[in-house]
């Protein structure tokens, strides 16, 4: 679901490396919407964008290649932790937790760009 939602809003590339980058960038966009909804006390929008963010993390988990080594296991745990953090942040209206997920996501973007040369 997450990848489909993001595909509708962005041009899709046949390059899987670019697609992963777009998913990470989509996460940052949705997380900024979560923060805005929290600041505006818009509960419906907050959970709409938390759910979209979680859907992207789920899609990222679905494409991990566990036969490729330890990195996939590390990323799976990292993604799960981000999902748990977002869920708790939504319940507690914790903007700091959303900021932390954004920081992790930016780190993933930077590492992905370094690794793939994008």
């Amino acid at each position: 679901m997450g990848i489909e939602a993001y595909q509708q809003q962005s041009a899709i590339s046949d390059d899987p490396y670019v697609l992963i980058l777009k998913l990470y960038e989509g996460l940052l966009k949705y997380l900024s919407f979560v923060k805005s909804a929290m600041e505006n006390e818009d509960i419906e929008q907050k959970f709409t964008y938390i759910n979209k963010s979680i859907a992207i993390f789920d899609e990222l988990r679905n494409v991990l290649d566990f036969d490729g080594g330890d990195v996939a296991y590390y990323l799976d745990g990292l993604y799960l932790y981000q999902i748990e953090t977002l869920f708790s942040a939504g319940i507690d209206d914790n903007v700091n937790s959303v900021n932390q997920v954004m920081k992790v996501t930016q780190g993933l973007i930077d590492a992905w760009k370094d690794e793939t040369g994008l």
Side-chain angles (χ1 to χ4, degrees), residues 54-75:
I54 288 172
I56 291 175
F57 276 122
D58 281 339
E59 188 60 36
L60 288 165
R61 290 184 66 227
N62 288 335
V63 299
L64 289 172
D65 178 10
F66 290 100
D67 294 330
D70 292 338
V71 172
Y73 291 98
Y74 169 78
L75 287 173

Side-chain angles (χ1 to χ4, degrees), residues 67-113:
D67 294 330
D70 292 338
V71 172
Y73 291 98
Y74 169 78
L75 287 173
D76 188 50
L78 182 66
Y79 296 156
L80 278 173
Y81 183 74
Q82 301 315 302
I83 289 169
E84 291 170 8
T85 301
L86 280 174
F87 183 75
S88 294
I91 291 171
D92 299 334
D93 274 333
N94 190 333
V95 174
N96 290 332
S97 291
V98 177
N99 285 334
Q100 185 60 36
V101 175
M102 291 179 84
K103 183 177 177 181
V104 168
T105 302
Q106 186 60 57
L108 289 166
I109 288 171
D110 295 343
W112 189 251
K113 284 181 177 179

Side-chain angles (χ1 to χ4, degrees), residues 13-49:
S13 169
D14 291 332
D15 184 343
Y17 297 123
V18 173
L19 182 56
I20 296 297
L21 180 60
K22 287 185 178 291
L23 288 171
Y24 285 147
E25 290 170 344
L27 269 169
L28 281 183
K29 179 174 123 182
Y30 289 151
L31 292 168
S32 71
F33 294 161
V34 169
K35 284 177 48 176
S36 179
M38 284 180 173
E39 291 163 3
N40 295 326
E41 299 181 7
D42 187 335
I43 296 168
E44 183 178 343
Q45 286 295 306
K46 173 181 68 174
F47 282 108
T48 293
Y49 288 110

